[in-house]
Every structure is written in structure tokens, then in C-alpha cells.
């Protein structure tokens, strides 16, 4: 019988209580408190977005102890995309005077602002 083989596979052990009943020895997995201290800027932003807009998903990840892990993944993905987009922007928009510190700083800030807009929309503010 199918039902019996499943029960045999589970191999539940029982213990007897004072009331004479047998109770299964069940152990719930320990839930560790989420550690978001190692999560970067974009991971924290994604966690905050989930908390405010996708509360069920946030609670599920939190209860399963996967929120920190997932937000680290989001942060890593966001930083990789940010680097790529900034690099591409700077290849296309070369400074007229490369020795000018101010011009180089402006170009880098423009690249960062444009890349960050894309990163926020594509990665941070989405359902994870």
C-alpha cells in the first residue's frame, strides 16, 4: 500500500506521556534572526521595498530565514549591473579634457546617476 510505505519512510518515533497517549517526536527547525548587517545599500533598499509593498513575500523570506541571503544576492546583482552600466556610459561619453579632475568627476557622477536609475527599476524595486 502506498500510504504504509510513506509512513515507513518517515520513520516516526513516539514517546509515551503521563496520560498514556503516544506522541510523535517532532522537532521544528530553529529559526535564526535575520542578519541584515552584511547587506549593502541596494539589498537594504530591496528589503525595505518588499516590506512596504510585498509584505507577504517579505514575511515568508523572514520566517524561512532567507531574507538576509536573498538581499545579499540582490545587492550583488545590483552592484554588478551598476558597474557594467557605468563602464558602458563612460566608454561612450568620453571627457573632452581627461586631465581635468572636475570634468572626470562630473562624468562619473552622471554615469552613476543614470546607471542607478536602471538598477533601481530592474533589480531593487521588483518582486524577489
Amino acid at each position: 500500500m502506498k500510504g504504509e510505505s510513506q509512513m515507513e519512510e518517515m520513520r516516526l518515533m513516539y514517546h509515551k506521556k503521563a496520560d498514556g497517549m503516544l506522541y510523535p517526536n517532532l522537532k521544528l527547525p530553529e529559526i535564526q534572526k535575520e542578519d541584515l548587517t552584511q547587506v549593502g545599500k541596494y539589498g537594504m533598499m530591496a528589503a525595505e521595498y518588499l516590506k512596504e509593498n510585498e509584505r507577504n513575500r517579505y514575511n515568508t523570506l523572514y520566517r524561512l530565514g532567507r531574507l538576509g541571503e536573498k538581499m545579499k544576492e540582490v545587492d550583488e546583482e545590483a552592484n554588478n549591473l551598476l558597474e557594467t552600466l557605468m563602464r558602458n556610459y563612460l566608454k561612450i561619453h568620453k571627457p573632452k579634457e581627461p586631465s581635468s579632475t572636475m570634468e572626470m568627476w562630473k562624468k562619473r557622477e552622471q554615469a552613476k546617476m543614470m546607471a542607478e536609475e536602471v538598477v533601481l527599476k530592474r533589480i531593487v524595486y521588483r518582486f524577489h
Side-chain angles (χ1 to χ4, degrees):
M1 294 199 149
K2 189 174 183 180
E4 288 177 3
S5 63
Q6 286 178 343
M7 289 300 290
E8 288 173 7
E9 285 179 24
M10 292 171 57
R11 296 186 185 135
L12 290 176
M13 301 298 291
Y14 295 88
H15 61 278
K16 196 172 196 174
K17 290 275 188 158
D19 61 1
M21 300 277 297
L22 291 174
Y23 293 92
N25 295 334
L26 299 176
K27 185 176 181 183
L28 295 174
E30 290 183 25
I31 298 175
Q32 297 176 355
K33 189 172 181 178
E34 283 298 318
D35 182 23
L36 294 177
T37 58
Q38 300 298 317
V39 176
K41 171 185 174 180
Y42 300 111
M44 292 299 288
M45 290 171 78
E48 198 60 38
Y49 173 80
L50 278 179
K51 190 175 187 178
E52 292 175 7
N53 299 294
E54 301 286 345
R55 192 60 181 207
N56 290 336
R57 178 68 174 151
Y58 177 87
N59 288 338
T60 301
L61 287 171
Y62 184 81
R63 275 192 305 256
L64 294 175
R66 295 201 59 234
L67 183 64
E69 174 188 334
K70 187 67 175 170
M71 293 306 112
K72 284 178 189 176
E73 290 173 15
V74 169
D75 189 63
E76 186 178 321
E77 185 180 349
N79 281 313
N80 289 339
L81 181 60
L82 183 78
E83 275 183 41
T84 303
L85 292 173
M86 283 180 64
R87 198 172 324 127
N88 291 342
Y89 181 89
L90 292 172
K91 280 181 188 175
I92 296 169
H93 301 89
K94 296 191 186 284
K96 294 175 186 170
E97 213 176 304
S99 61
S100 170
T101 306
M102 199 60 170
E103 187 178 356
M104 289 299 292
W105 176 78
K106 284 181 183 177
K107 289 288 183 192
R108 286 194 152 298
E109 283 300 306
Q110 287 173 342
K112 185 177 180 182
M113 288 186 329
M114 293 183 77
E116 200 166 58
E117 247 183 81
V118 174
V119 166
L120 292 176
K121 185 174 181 174
R122 285 190 192 171
I123 297 173
V124 175
Y125 300 143
R126 73 171 188 201
F127 184 81
H128 295 284

